[in-house]
Amino acid sequence: MKKFEISKNRRVRVTPYTSRLEKYGVGGYTVYNHMLLPTHFKSLEEEYFHLKKDVQLWDVSVQKQIEVTGTDSYKLVQLMTCRDLSSAKILKCYYVPLIDGNGNMINDPLILKVEDMKWRICIADSDVLLYAKGIADSMKLRVKIHETNISTLAVQGPKSFELMSKVFGENISKLKFFNFNYYKFGGVDFMISKSGFSKQGGYEIYIQDTASGHKLYDYIIKIGGEFNLKPGCPNAIERIEGALLSYGNDMDNNDNPFECGLDKYINLESNIEFLGKKALQKAKSEGIKRKLMGVKINDKNIYLTKEEKLFDDKQKTIGFLRSAVYSPRFKMIVGIAMINRDYCKVSQKFKINLNNKIISGSVCSLPIN
Ligand code: THG
């Protein structure tokens, strides 16, 4: 891979922590919601093992928050998702598929109900602001919609619980998975949820005031030594093995939430109104033609920049590989692929053309274990 630098400007946005990441040796970025997201510091594999053992501090400011307020705020949020939010509670987080009128995926955010008429949508990488505004304007909804300038730090890993108790007080250890609340550091209130883009446990801290965020970041680095804390970022190996989906990689606007395996967040039986409900009812009655599955491939090196065809012995396409990385745990490549229905069987064999070599692999379930 040729090394080059991403030029930063007003469109390719820095975060309040970018200069700190560079001081701590960030090794690469991707662009996500028009903003810089670190992909690794030194080595993806080292950071994978460290994340599973200790604790990391992540700058995930790219998880931009779209705030929806006003009388029709519930109506708008519900119109965009097939998950029933009619009895959603304040101080809780909801992982939801956002879909369009054809029942296809727009995004897969975490939604936080902040107040009765105030919702924050922590988006994956697509322009939900524009989608929400388009719906609100065309339906004349009484809402205000804007992208907040909140930035998010995540503290992830098995030692995150101890570390966070030390920073914010013992009370935070009572916070349950996918709940959020407010905790003080340096006299300032921080909104914190027990969530994050890893399967190792942890918290996400939503920061309004940059100066307080800088103090918090530096304090966590300072006291983190005791827990072997390191600056980190979402880890491709860990998230693929754990089947945490990445919008734009594993799925996009050509896929419906059934195909993405998000069935448990689809409520077709309740009487809520959302765009794409008819399309999803039809998709359900017809049955899906393909589905996201795990794959294992007998090789060491892969760097996907587009989906790659998977085929059987007779050269027939069985699906497409969408994310892949070498796993030091399985000692082979692991990935997430959209597989045609007839081939969605664990141990189904396939072939793939990687760097002009034909390599064999097999289908497995998600998460990969
Ligand atoms: N946290 C916050 N915002 C986010 C993400 C996040 N925005 C972008 C991106 N990540 C959105 N996508 C996801 C994908 C998976 C999860 C959260 C956001 C997730 N899934 C759990 C799982 O699959 O095991 C739990 C799902 C559940 O129990 O409902 O956490 O990470 N703030």
Side-chain angles (χ1 to χ4, degrees):
M1 209 199 338
K2 191 173 169 229
K3 287 262 179 196
F4 61 91
E5 197 171 314
I6 295 178
S7 305
K8 302 151 195 161
N9 55 31
R10 213 169 97 79
R11 282 185 305 101
V12 181
R13 303 177 289 185
V14 299
T15 88
Y17 306 96
T18 302
S19 60
R20 283 168 173 73
L21 303 181
E22 300 197 336
K23 179 175 145 197
Y24 294 120
V26 64
Y29 292 113
T30 185
V31 175
Y32 187 109
N33 285 324
H34 317 280
M35 192 176 235
L36 296 174
L37 172 65
T39 50
H40 64 285
F41 282 75
K42 262 210 202 103
S43 133
L44 204 56
E45 293 183 25
E46 242 171 71
E47 287 152 26
Y48 163 81
F49 288 116
H50 176 259
L51 172 62
K52 293 181 98 161
K53 186 167 66 72
D54 296 321
V55 54
Q56 296 181 353
L57 178 59
W58 296 358
D59 173 15
V60 282
S61 300
V62 298
Q63 296 170 3
K64 293 305 297 179
Q65 302 199 355
I66 308 302
E67 187 172 280
V68 181
T69 54
T71 320
D72 290 332
S73 55
Y74 162 69
K75 186 168 182 187
L76 174 60
V77 171
Q78 187 64 78
L79 275 171
M80 295 191 287
T81 180
C82 51
R83 180 165 179 185
D84 187 346
L85 293 176
S86 60
S87 48
K89 293 186 177 54
I90 296 167
L91 301 181
K92 282 202 185 293
C93 313
Y94 298 89
Y95 178 51
V96 312
L98 299 189
I99 56 166
D100 65 16
N102 298 318
N104 284 338
M105 296 291 296
I106 290 281
N107 200 288
D108 68 328
L110 215 65
I111 296 189
L112 280 55
K113 186 173 180 184
V114 182
E115 290 169 19
D116 242 338
M117 281 185 253
K118 183 169 179 176
W119 303 73
R120 290 204 188 122
I121 311 175
C122 308
I123 59 172
D125 185 27
S126 73
D127 295 313
V128 172
L129 179 73
L130 308 182
Y131 185 55
K133 285 197 174 195
I135 297 169
D137 286 348
S138 65
M139 296 184 70
K140 300 191 168 46
L141 300 181
R142 291 159 297 174
V143 289
K144 282 206 174 111
I145 307 165
H146 76 287
E147 188 189 86
T148 71
N149 55 18
I150 292 170
S151 51
T152 303
L153 293 177
V155 178
Q156 299 285 302
K159 294 185 184 159
S160 60
F161 311 106
E162 257 184 285
L163 171 70
M164 288 291 279
S165 297
K166 197 150 178 174
V167 179
F168 289 98
E170 279 299 319
N171 234 352
I172 202 163
S173 61
K174 295 188 198 119
L175 191 65
K176 293 205 177 79
F177 186 63
F178 267 39
N179 284 32
F180 67 89
N181 218 320
Y182 302 87
Y183 301 89
K184 272 199 192 330
F185 168 77
V188 178
D189 261 330
F190 289 87
M191 183 174 166
I192 300 178
S193 62
K194 194 162 186 178
S195 58
F197 205 61
S198 89
K199 287 294 209 177
Q200 309 310 315
Y203 301 86
E204 293 183 292
I205 312 168
Y206 306 97
I207 299 160
Q208 302 255 6
D209 174 56
T210 303
S212 313
H214 285 160
K215 278 189 198 142
L216 176 66
Y217 188 100
D218 296 338
Y219 183 74
I220 292 177
I221 294 282
K222 192 174 123 200
I223 69 148
E226 175 188 344
F227 306 96
N228 196 23
L229 171 125
K230 292 193 175 141
C233 52
N235 184 284
I237 310 169
E238 199 271 346
R239 79 110 191 135
I240 289 174
E241 287 182 1
L244 290 168
L245 299 182
S246 169
Y247 187 85
N249 284 320
D250 307 322
M251 54 183 171
D252 62 26
N253 191 231
N254 297 300
D255 311 314
N256 74 42
F258 290 115
E259 294 168 332
C260 301
L262 298 172
D263 307 51
K264 65 174 168 172
Y265 310 109
I266 307 171
N267 300 124
L268 292 175
E269 274 70 47
S270 65
N271 58 6
I272 52 166
E273 191 193 338
F274 62 87
L275 300 169
K277 191 170 187 177
K278 281 218 173 73
L280 285 188
Q281 277 161 341
K282 185 161 174 268
K284 188 176 182 184
S285 68
E286 286 174 357
I288 51 168
K289 295 171 185 68
R290 50 194 199 141
K291 197 178 165 87
L292 286 182
M293 298 288 290
V295 296
K296 291 177 182 163
I297 299 169
N298 306 311
D299 206 345
K300 276 203 137 95
N301 292 307
I302 190 159
Y303 189 81
L304 279 187
T305 50
K306 56 177 177 55
E307 59 176 18
E308 244 352 292
K309 191 167 72 183
L310 307 177
F311 48 91
D312 70 5
D313 285 337
K314 293 170 191 129
Q315 302 290 316
K316 197 173 164 216
T317 302
I318 75 146
F320 289 90
L321 181 61
R322 290 180 167 183
S323 288
V325 71
Y326 177 75
S327 162
R329 182 172 148 220
F330 293 101
K331 305 211 171 0
M332 56 177 98
I333 293 165
V334 295
I336 298 177
M338 188 60 93
I339 304 285
N340 297 343
R341 185 178 54 196
D342 293 344
Y343 300 88
C344 285
K345 293 180 289 235
V346 170
S347 302
Q348 166 71 47
K349 299 273 177 279
F350 62 78
K351 298 221 168 357
I352 180 171
N353 188 337
L354 283 185
N355 316 310
N356 298 318
K357 265 192 312 180
I358 307 291
I359 317 278
S360 62
S362 64
V363 173
C364 63
S365 52
L366 287 173
I368 300 171
N369 44 42

